Amino acid sequence: MSIVAVSSLADKIRRYLNQKNPSALRRLLSRHNFADIADVMENSLSREQAMACFQYLNVGQAAQVLASVNEDLQHACLSSLPTVMGSQILRMMPTDDAVDILQEMDTAESQRILEEMPFDTDTRTLHHLMMEEPDSAAGIMSTDYISVSVEATVGEAMGMVRRAEEKDFIYYCYLVDSEERLVGVVSLKQLILLDESVPLSRIAQFDVKSLLVNYDQELVANVFRKYYNLLAMPVVDPDNTLRGIVTLDDIIDVIEEETSEDIYKASGITLEEMDERGLLIGPEFRAFKARFPWLSITMGGQFLASTIIAHFSHTVATAVVAISFMPLLTGLSGNMGTQSETITVRGLALEIITDNNITSMLLRETRVALITGSFFATCVGILSYIIYHKWQLSLLLAAWIVISQCTFAFLGMLIPYGFKRLFKVDPAGMGGPFITTLSDILTFLVYLSVVSLFLREMI
């Protein structure tokens, strides 16, 4: 939908809301795609206007729109409706989307909505999924899939497809045995093209790619990357019992979430209590808490660096020319470390860096640093000699650049790998702030020590 069309839809919604013309507003909304309505509600209407607009959607549209808007607007829209209406909308949604919304709500509020639902299979499924870890395969899976007996025919499977609900994912039909264990899979395309009398066992793929219920969502995303031609993958328990499916649209959300999280962590920002929107429009104190941890560590590290400089006050006051290069040295070493750390975190996430190749990867990164370090060492050494005519200083600068580039490239890869393997934590949080602070401390300590040792040659 174009920007002009979005603006036009928003203007019409505002006009009908101001005119208190519900019939016209309902007709307008019924003619537009849910994605366009969600876009307008989220970006073009005020919070109050969006909540009012939501009340004029039919239940099916409301379910689709609710799954498409941000978390804050979801809660606002649900809270504007009677509990009975909210429960009806959630029952129309795919189970994974409904569970995501319920898990983010206040416990008492989500319980009131669940109590309004008839206690049938769908409601029991919601209760069960809400107890799963949100960031696991079980936490993001949907139970809206089609499964049939492995002994069934194409005609029987097509009968199941015809009886499916609108929210069911019907692109694959999963075959199970008498104990609901996953056996095989057939695609909807196969079912449409073949005669109804053909047994499914003759056309099924029995080497089924599946996910365990306890897989972390990042691992699930990596499996999807490997088998990128699949629109969905089944989720099974350790006994291979079919529990649900994870669809491609869920994985897109996971990849976006994990990528955003890694970007923020690399800058020392934690999102444990808020989403990324909260950093911009959420409460200021919560944003402060998200930024506080690594800024505190940076402050402590830089305070230590300042005491090192103070300890070498005589050298700083005497060898002004040599000291003037310190920002250049810390900048080069810190950037090399951050680059290596970023590459390593991404390599670990994509499973490109493993226990089997970490040694060769470390050596490769060190060789890259040696090449870049030699280039910049030559440039800085020549320029400093042309300007100041002190070959000892030029030699020191060149040597330190080569050594520091190799050292921090090595540490930039080794530190996140070590945290990942030894402490089983996400290495993204060990990123830029840690590396740059460590770079400053070591540069000040080693470089100032060498300058002090050869002070006469440096002035």
Side-chain angles (χ1 to χ4, degrees):
M1 194 175 187
S2 68
I3 296 175
V4 174
V6 168
S7 177
S8 174
L9 177 58
D11 290 339
K12 290 177 181 178
I13 291 174
R14 292 191 197 97
R15 184 168 68 250
Y16 291 145
L17 285 173
N18 292 333
Q19 294 173 352
K20 295 182 170 52
N21 190 344
S23 58
L25 182 55
R26 287 192 178 95
R27 286 195 301 271
L28 173 68
L29 295 174
S30 66
R31 296 196 301 267
H32 285 83
N33 185 278
F34 75 91
D36 297 332
I37 297 171
D39 184 17
V40 168
M41 286 175 54
E42 195 169 24
N43 300 308
S44 302
L45 300 179
S46 69
R47 186 185 182 91
E48 291 71 23
Q49 290 170 338
M51 292 165 61
C53 173
F54 186 76
Q55 298 181 37
Y56 293 102
L57 296 168
N58 63 55
V59 175
Q61 265 189 318
Q64 293 175 307
V65 168
L66 195 65
S68 304
V69 297
N70 64 66
E71 183 182 308
D72 290 338
L73 193 52
Q74 285 176 344
H75 296 167
C77 289
L78 278 178
S79 64
S80 70
L81 298 175
T83 306
V84 175
M85 181 64 70
S87 67
Q88 292 175 354
I89 291 172
L90 287 174
R91 279 178 66 83
M92 288 288 293
M93 297 175 66
T95 52
D96 53 335
D97 292 332
V99 168
D100 288 342
I101 293 174
L102 288 168
Q103 285 178 329
E104 295 297 333
M105 294 172 65
D106 178 79
T107 304
E109 187 179 357
S110 63
Q111 192 61 38
R112 283 196 300 271
I113 290 178
L114 287 170
E115 288 173 355
E116 290 292 340
M117 297 181 181
F119 197 67
D120 55 11
T121 302
D122 289 341
T123 307
R124 286 196 296 271
T125 299
L126 285 176
H127 279 280
H128 178 75
L129 291 178
M130 285 182 67
M131 293 186 293
E132 301 289 354
E133 287 292 331
D135 295 337
S136 67
I140 62 174
M141 73 181 183
S142 169
T143 56
D144 303 317
Y145 61 89
I146 296 176
S147 65
V148 297
S149 169
V150 67
E151 299 175 358
T153 64
V154 169
E156 291 170 326
M158 284 301 296
M160 294 286 291
V161 170
R162 295 188 185 100
R163 294 191 296 273
E165 297 182 27
E166 183 178 348
K167 63 182 180 179
D168 287 340
F169 189 88
I170 62 173
Y171 296 97
Y172 299 116
C173 186
Y174 297 98
L175 312 186
V176 295
D177 62 17
S178 58
E179 297 182 1
E180 295 297 315
R181 289 190 295 255
L182 179 64
V183 177
V185 62
V186 294
S187 67
L188 180 61
K189 179 180 178 180
Q190 291 174 292
L191 296 179
I192 293 173
L193 294 178
L194 293 174
D195 187 88
E196 293 194 349
S197 63
V198 175
L200 293 177
S201 57
R202 282 179 50 187
I203 62 171
Q205 177 183 342
F206 292 99
D207 180 22
V208 187
K209 310 304 179 187
S210 60
L211 307 161
L212 280 174
V213 288
N214 60 350
Y215 277 7
D216 180 83
Q217 65 177 13
E218 192 168 359
L219 176 57
V220 174
N222 287 337
V223 175
F224 259 88
R225 288 190 187 99
K226 186 174 182 180
Y227 303 109
Y228 57 89
N229 59 326
L230 294 178
L231 299 176
M233 292 187 71
V235 179
V236 298
D237 64 18
D239 296 325
N240 205 42
T241 302
L242 182 60
R243 294 278 304 278
I245 61 170
V246 174
T247 56
L248 186 59
D249 62 315
D250 297 320
I251 292 304
I252 292 173
D253 293 338
V254 168
I255 292 172
E256 181 180 349
E257 177 187 333
E258 294 288 344
T259 302
S260 296
E261 186 177 325
D262 286 350
I263 290 172
Y264 285 117
K265 280 186 174 180
S267 299
I269 298 174
T270 59
L271 297 178
E272 294 176 359
E273 297 184 11
M274 64 198 311
D275 63 10
E276 58 184 295
R277 287 174 57 86
L279 292 173
L280 297 173
I281 62 175
E284 288 79 2
F285 185 73
R286 292 181 68 188
F288 160 75
K289 288 176 65 178
R291 304 183 190 196
F292 176 76
W294 274 112
L295 286 175
S296 300
I297 294 175
T298 301
M299 182 191 71
Q302 294 297 341
F303 189 84
L304 176 59
S306 68
T307 60
I308 293 173
I309 294 175
H311 179 74
F312 291 95
S313 57
H314 176 68
T315 303
V316 173
T318 307
V320 176
V321 172
I323 302 306
S324 68
F325 284 95
M326 286 174 56
L328 182 150
L329 299 179
T330 56
L332 283 175
S333 58
N335 272 283
M336 173 55 74
T338 301
Q339 289 175 359
S340 295
E341 182 268 342
T342 302
I343 292 169
T344 304
V345 169
R346 195 62 182 153
L348 290 169
L350 298 177
E351 298 183 343
I352 298 172
I353 299 176
T354 65
D355 293 341
N356 295 328
N357 67 6
I358 182 60
T359 301
S360 61
M361 297 298 284
L362 281 168
L363 292 174
R364 180 189 179 279
E365 192 64 17
T366 304
R367 289 195 297 270
V368 171
L370 181 61
I371 295 171
T372 58
S374 299
F375 173 80
F376 288 109
T378 302
C379 293
V380 171
I382 292 173
L383 288 173
S384 65
Y385 184 77
I386 292 173
I387 297 171
Y388 299 109
H389 304 290
K390 294 183 180 296
W391 68 266
Q392 297 93 335
L393 175 61
S394 299
L395 182 61
L396 172 61
L397 292 172
W400 176 252
I401 289 173
V402 172
I403 294 171
S404 65
Q405 291 282 284
C406 294
T407 300
F408 284 100
F410 187 86
L411 291 177
M413 179 167 281
L414 187 62
I415 289 172
Y417 175 80
F419 272 92
K420 178 79 171 180
R421 290 293 175 259
L422 298 179
F423 303 109
K424 310 299 181 184
V425 297
D426 188 349
M430 306 299 112
F434 184 87
I435 295 292
T436 53
T437 302
L438 182 62
S439 165
D440 290 349
I441 292 172
L442 291 180
T443 298
F444 293 162
L445 181 62
V446 177
Y447 181 72
L448 288 173
S449 296
V450 175
V451 171
S452 298
L453 186 63
F454 298 100
L455 184 59
R456 182 172 301 176
E457 287 79 7
M458 299 299 156
I459 60 176

